[in-house]
């Protein structure tokens, strides 16, 4: 089979307890038939228009020859480098697809000026830009598109020949791009962004970069029937129950790649699950781990380990590790996890297709960009690092060490720490190493996200999920800012507003926040390591 799953311990108990009811309620066939009533009356209006992903394989097939034809056209024009401007599912799905295929794709999912400038300087003469935005009004992708339009023009290249648009039909971007003469691919409007891996959002950038996208669709198609039938072996029902029906709920999902051929899958699953389930005070928090992560040895009662392996075996109930083990082709995994997340939403009693708390951070950022207030003064400066935070954290801190100590003390017994790095992830990937240090120190699950891309991923969970998180923001003072054509703000001002806006919304939700602003990330990383201890 193209997908296999094995469960044991509490996850196996959850499957035995929940799956028979899901089968009796015809949940699998209902999802496939796009029955919007499965998540209750309050969710029906939204869910009834967000189930198009169940038929994404069939709807996306006609796109394949169009994408391949454009790929050949671009190659004939000397283009051998594809850049993707996208956020959330629009960037994470193409990233896992291309990385797994061993095909290069430059993913620009940041507003950090150094990272944008580096992308613009990378083979511009032989580059094409894919701009992906479902709503057509995403501020990050709009800003990136404007920067590339200017760069292409200044290089004597007509942007119309190098920029490809992926968006919903009728969006502001759809209309403006067509009027300007850009090549536009429309995605299915009945698919939410995080469920869009097998639509134009996943396929256009991946196909243009060189991936065999027909194979991805073939892999997904091979599992479709198994997902549609109401049986106790249905992998979508089994996985959904395993992650969402444990009792008591193990609401932190420690996802670790351990033998799988798929590269970066956990990052995609993180945004799918966190944004779909983290609302109304409940939800599942994916924690992306390496095989040596402290959480895997801690035996925490609220953590469910999900291990991505090369072969999970042919028995659903197997072993005594207490883990969930899954294996399969990439196309099959993408579709199974989408089904499982929809099933998890039903089991948790929430609507897995809305994101009610995402907009609040966007509104706060826009307000800061409009008002342009002076930055709040730092509570203190330690080793060149400006320290700010909520009163419960800063009020008891006198230096960097004590500030981190107080933040970790704010963690409840069932809490988690979220590290949010608004720094150039291409220039400073080593910042991700702080995650393991903090997990070992805290003795609790620690997530790590690059800002602002995590705002389109786990940001919903942070505000709408259980109020048990503490938040460490790492921001970077830009060495050299970058203007955004025809916009009254720069990239540096935009990312600063995004960080400040999210911090303010978290504070309004009574979440403890510590913000450290670095003047020299490369050298101050060691200072942070020492302070963590």
């Amino acid at each position: 089979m193209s997908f296999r799953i094995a469960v044991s311990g509490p996850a196996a108990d959850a499957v035995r307890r929940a799956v028979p009811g899901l089968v009796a309620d015809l949940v699998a066939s209902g999802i496939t038939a796009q029955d919007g009533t499965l998540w209750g009356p309050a969710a029906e209006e939204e869910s009834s228009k967000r189930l198009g992903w169940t038929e994404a394989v069939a709807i996306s097939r006609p796109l394949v020859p169009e994408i391949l034809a454009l790929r050949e056209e671009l190659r004939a024009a000397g283009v051998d480098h594809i850049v993707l401007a996208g956020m959330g599912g629009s960037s994470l799905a193409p990233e896992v697809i291309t990385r797994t295929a061993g095909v290069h794709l430059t993913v620009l999912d940041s507003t950090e000026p150094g990272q944008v400038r580096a992308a613009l300087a990378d083979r511009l003469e032989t580059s094409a830009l894919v701009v992906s935005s479902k709503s057509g009004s995403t501020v990050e992708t709009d800003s990136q598109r404007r920067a590339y339009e200017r760069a292409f023009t200044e290089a004597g290249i007509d942007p119309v020949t190098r920029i490809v648009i992926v968006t919903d039909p009728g969006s502001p971007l759809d209309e403006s791009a067509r009027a300007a003469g850009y090549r536009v691919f429309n995605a299915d409007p009945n698919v939410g962004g995080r469920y869009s891996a097998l639509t134009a959002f996943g396929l256009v950038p991946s196909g243009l970069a060189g991936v065999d996208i027909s194979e991805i669709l073939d892999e997904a198609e091979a599992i479709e029937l198994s997902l549609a039938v109401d049986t106790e072996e249905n992998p979508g029902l089994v996985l959904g129950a395993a992650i969402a029906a444990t009792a008591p709920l193990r609401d932190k999902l420690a996802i670790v790649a351990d033998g799988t051929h798929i590269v970066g899958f956990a990052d995609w699953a993180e945004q799918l699950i966190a944004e779909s389930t983290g609302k109304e005070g409940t939800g599942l928090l994916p924690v992306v781990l390496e095989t040596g992560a402290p959480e895997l040895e801690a035996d925490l009662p609220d953590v469910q380990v999900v291990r991505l392996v090369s072969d999970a075996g042919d028995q659903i109930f197997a072993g005594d590790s207490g883990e969930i083990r899954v294996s399969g082709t990439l196309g099959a995994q993408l579709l199974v996890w989408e089904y499982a997340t929809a099933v998890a939403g039903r089991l948790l009693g929430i609507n897995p297709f809305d994101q009610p708390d995402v907009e609040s951070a966007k509104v706060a950022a826009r307000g800061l960009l409009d008002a342009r207030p002076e930055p709040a003064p730092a509570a203190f400066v330690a080793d060149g690092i400006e320290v700010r935070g909520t009163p419960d954290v800063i009020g008891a801190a006198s230096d960097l060490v004590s500030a981190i100590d107080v933040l970790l003390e704010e963690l409840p017994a069932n809490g988690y720490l979220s590290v949010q790095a608004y720094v150039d992830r291409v220039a400073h990937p080593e910042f991700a190493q702080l995650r393991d240090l903090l997990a070992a120190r805290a003795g609790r699950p620690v997530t790590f996200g690059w800002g602002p891309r995590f705002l389109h991923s786990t940001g919903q969970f942070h505000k709408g999920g259980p109020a048990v998180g503490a938040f460490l923001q790492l921001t970077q003072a830009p060495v050299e800012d970058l203007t955004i054509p025809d916009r009254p703000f720069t990239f540096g001002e935009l990312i600063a507003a995004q960080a400040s806006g999210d911090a303010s919304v978290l504070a309004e939700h009574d979440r403890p926040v510590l913000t450290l602003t670095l003047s020299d990330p490369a050298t101050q990383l060691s200072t942070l390591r020492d302070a963590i201890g």
Side-chain angles (χ1 to χ4, degrees):
M1 182 180 284
S2 56
F3 180 90
R4 288 178 166 180
I5 179 169
V7 296
S8 62
D13 295 339
V15 171
R16 291 188 177 99
R17 183 173 53 251
V19 168
L22 295 169
V23 172
D25 293 341
L26 306 180
V27 171
S29 58
I31 292 173
T32 305
Q34 302 183 32
D35 179 0
T37 68
L38 290 170
W39 298 273
E44 185 173 352
E45 181 181 358
E46 180 73 17
S47 59
S48 63
K49 58 186 179 183
R50 287 288 177 261
L51 288 162
W53 51 270
T54 61
E55 54 182 355
V57 172
I59 289 178
S60 295
R61 287 285 186 193
L63 288 175
V64 174
E66 295 181 45
I67 296 169
L68 298 184
L70 179 57
R71 180 169 76 190
E72 294 310 310
E73 180 183 324
L74 290 170
R75 286 179 174 176
V79 172
D80 59 7
H81 177 219
I82 302 297
V83 182
L84 171 61
M87 303 299 295
S90 297
S91 63
L92 289 164
E95 187 171 61
V96 67
I97 291 170
T98 53
R99 290 181 69 193
T100 298
V103 172
H104 180 75
L105 173 70
T106 294
V107 177
L108 182 57
D109 55 1
S110 177
T111 49
E112 201 289 312
Q115 191 170 334
V116 177
R117 183 180 289 103
L120 291 167
D122 183 14
R123 295 167 283 172
L124 183 70
E125 290 77 12
T126 60
S127 295
L129 175 74
V130 178
V131 179
S132 290
S133 171
K134 179 177 173 62
S135 68
S137 58
T138 310
V139 65
E140 295 96 337
T141 51
D142 176 75
S143 302
Q144 293 153 355
R145 174 184 58 82
R146 291 171 182 272
Y148 265 89
E149 285 176 335
R150 175 176 60 191
F152 281 135
T153 301
E154 290 177 349
I157 299 169
D158 183 356
V160 170
T161 67
R162 295 295 184 89
I163 295 179
V164 179
I165 306 296
V166 184
T167 189
D168 276 3
S171 75
L173 180 58
D174 184 38
E175 295 173 358
S176 63
R178 291 185 186 278
Y182 287 119
R183 177 64 181 270
V184 178
F185 287 88
N186 284 142
D188 184 349
N190 295 314
V191 179
R194 57 187 176 271
Y195 290 84
S196 66
L198 297 170
T199 73
F201 287 109
L203 299 179
V204 171
S206 302
L208 294 181
V211 174
D212 183 350
I213 51 177
S214 289
E215 182 180 12
I216 297 289
L217 295 177
D218 290 344
E219 292 170 353
E221 186 174 29
I223 199 69
E224 280 185 321
L225 181 59
S226 297
L227 290 167
V229 295
D230 297 296
T231 69
E232 294 188 8
E233 295 72 39
N234 183 312
L237 299 182
V238 172
L239 180 58
I243 63 175
T246 48
L249 181 64
R250 293 179 172 238
D251 61 357
K252 286 84 175 176
L253 301 180
I255 306 179
V256 54
D258 188 4
T260 179
H261 70 287
I262 301 174
V263 183
F265 186 84
D267 292 321
W268 174 82
E270 178 185 45
Q271 57 91 34
L272 172 68
I273 298 167
E275 194 168 71
S276 295
T277 68
K279 59 200 69 168
E280 300 180 29
T282 189
L284 303 171
L285 178 67
V287 184
V288 180
L289 302 179
E290 300 293 332
T291 53
E295 292 93 331
L296 296 176
E297 302 297 328
D299 194 26
L300 299 172
D302 55 342
V303 172
Q304 176 62 59
V305 176
V306 183
R307 202 174 291 269
L308 307 174
V309 298
S310 59
D311 187 357
D314 56 8
Q315 299 295 318
I316 292 177
F317 300 102
D320 57 3
S321 66
E323 298 182 350
I324 302 167
R325 295 178 179 244
V326 296
S327 62
T329 62
L330 176 55
Q333 292 266 17
L334 293 169
L335 194 55
V336 170
W337 282 84
E338 288 173 354
Y339 265 87
T341 301
V343 170
R346 179 180 168 92
L347 291 169
L348 294 170
I350 51 89
N351 177 2
F353 305 111
D354 68 351
Q355 47 283 331
D357 299 290
V358 167
E359 189 62 27
S360 57
K362 296 179 182 178
V363 170
R366 284 195 293 266
L368 290 169
L369 287 172
D370 291 340
R372 305 288 182 83
E374 288 295 317
F380 56 88
V381 179
D383 298 311
I385 299 174
E386 297 181 0
V387 181
R388 298 175 176 84
T390 47
D392 48 350
V393 175
I394 293 301
S398 57
D399 56 22
L400 195 57
V401 172
S402 61
I404 293 173
D405 287 345
V406 173
L407 180 68
L408 296 180
E409 289 169 3
E410 290 289 319
L411 283 173
N414 62 340
Y416 68 93
L417 176 67
S418 169
V419 183
Q420 306 169 349
Y422 289 84
V423 301
D424 183 341
R425 73 178 179 113
V426 175
H428 303 295
E430 63 275 8
F431 269 78
Q433 298 168 4
L434 295 176
R435 200 217 70 82
D436 276 6
L437 295 177
L438 286 161
R441 171 76 188 283
R444 293 297 304 157
V446 176
T447 65
F448 182 93
W450 297 103
R453 87 173 191 168
F454 79 86
L455 293 173
H456 301 257
S457 176
T458 52
Q460 166 63 42
F461 186 98
H462 296 157
K463 273 84 78 174
V468 295
F471 301 86
L472 174 60
Q473 281 193 340
L474 304 175
T475 64
Q476 171 184 354
V479 176
E480 182 182 356
D481 210 341
L482 182 64
T483 60
I484 303 171
D486 301 318
R487 282 290 180 260
F489 50 84
T490 66
F491 277 103
E493 290 167 340
L494 174 55
I495 194 170
Q498 290 176 304
S500 297
D502 193 50
S504 68
V505 174
L506 289 169
E508 290 169 5
H509 284 74
D510 297 321
R511 307 314 200 240
V513 181
L514 173 63
T515 300
L516 306 179
T517 301
L518 312 178
S519 56
D520 185 357
T523 60
Q524 290 170 334
L525 178 61
S526 61
T527 303
L528 292 177
R529 285 197 183 103
D530 291 342
I532 293 168

